[in-house]
Amino acid sequence: MESILEVRDLTTQIPTQRGVLTAVDGVTFSLRRGEIFGLVGESGSGKSMTCRSILQLVPKPGQVVSGTVSYQGRNLLQLPPKAMSQLRGREIAMIFQDPMAVLNPVHRVGDQLTEAMLEHEVVKSKAEAQARAVELLRKVGIPAPEERLRSYPHQFSGGMCQRLVISIALACEPSVILADEPTTALDVTIQDQILKLLVGLQHEFSLSLLLVTHDMGVVAQTCQRVAVMYAGKIVELADKATLFTAPRHPYTQGLLNCVPRIEEDGSVRPLKPIPGSPPDLVQPPSGCRFHPRCPLASDECKQGDFPLLQVGSEQYSACIKHDQVRAV
Ligand SMILES: Nc1ncnc2c1ncn2[C@@H]1O[C@H](COP(=O)(O)OP(=O)(O)OP(=O)(O)O)[C@@H](O)[C@H]1O
Ligand SMILES: [Mg+2]
């Protein structure tokens, strides 16, 4: 299937007082046209940095040190800042992890929605922008949109703010949306509504969606394919059904073991948390970065490089013992 965004060997580093932190380490994947592709992993695994790197939004002094991001035949990492800002929002939009950090507290909701439309010239006049803003708010399920345009973000609930940032991401009709944990800050019922909304909008606008989450339940509900990140690297990539039924990386299996499940006899399967905690990315473990926490680890896992290799028709794993990983 045709891909719309191809990320190859993306590496992003951040200098810190303790040394250089490699937040994204040789990440390769492609987003296919019209799919929802999940990027999962524990906190600190580099999911947000991957999204930021794609759009050249890595906070200084961090920077992308190598790799390519191909979009419609262009390497985004080589685009000059002006061309990049024309593309951001218009072609590829991002929904940030924390909506309140993106919304401007002193600007009315309507102005924040119309600003990008006018800037990118997707509308011809302020009146047209205003009409489109009303339509967008209605689409994301905000009641009384005409009145709401005059509100300030603090007058919105958390769920409404998230709907608002989704509408801002849609404002310039992008082809690709990078949605960074769009539901994490919300309670479960609102989370479900927002996910359904996103999936509906993705269909309606034929969007290609990169959905970042640390929640396997969200992946199960929404994605077609999934990449699992650990300590800055993709350790497994597969279509959703394969990933859930036949994972080929012990880390994926560990994540699946953390999902509550009711067995056929009605008993609740005990959760098995992954022992230990994610590594320090300034001084990551040698060899496979997961080896200190891995039930299958042996001496050979402590040395060398473990690239992602194809282990099935739509499945890639970085584990040399992938054939020993049992289904969950
Ligand atoms: N501004 C920064 N300065 C220094 N280190 C940073 C900065 N931002 C992120 N990092 C580090 O980069 C690594 C990747 O961070 P990133 O935000 O991409 O993780 P994440 O997978 O999105 O986590 P979460 O699920 O918590 O959002 C982490 O180790 C983090 O500590
Ligand atoms: Mg993040």
Side-chain angles (χ1 to χ4, degrees), residues 25-28 39-41 45 226-238 243 247-253 255 287-291 306-309 311 315-320 322:
D25 194 351
V27 162
T28 295
L39 195 56
V40 287
S45 56
V226 195
V228 179
M229 266 189 105
Y230 186 76
K233 290 176 181 284
I234 290 181
V235 295
E236 180 160 10
L237 194 159
L243 193 93
R248 291 288 202 97
H249 197 287
Y251 180 60
T252 313
Q253 190 188 33
L255 288 180
C288 169
R289 288 179 179 181
F290 188 57
H291 85 254
F306 297 88
L308 207 54
L309 296 176
V311 296
Q315 189 170 25
Y316 300 79
S317 168
C319 179
I320 50 171
H322 60 84

Side-chain angles (χ1 to χ4, degrees), residues 14 16 21 23 42-49 59 97 181 214 281:
I14 306 165
T16 70
L21 182 152
E42 277 164 297
S43 187
S45 56
K47 306 178 299 293
S48 297
M49 278 296 166
Q97 199 162 354
E181 311 241 17
H214 58 258
L281 297 183

Side-chain angles (χ1 to χ4, degrees), residues 10 24 27 29 39 46-54 229:
L10 186 67
V24 181
V27 162
F29 68 92
L39 195 56
K47 306 178 299 293
S48 297
M49 278 296 166
T50 301
C51 297
R52 287 179 167 275
S53 302
I54 291 170
M229 266 189 105

Side-chain angles (χ1 to χ4, degrees), residues 29 59 67 86 154 158 166 183 191 195 199 233-235 251 294 325:
F29 68 92
Q86 278 167 357
H154 72 267
I166 292 172
T183 60
Q191 177 169 329
L195 277 179
V199 174
K233 290 176 181 284
I234 290 181
V235 295
Y251 180 60
C294 180
V325 180

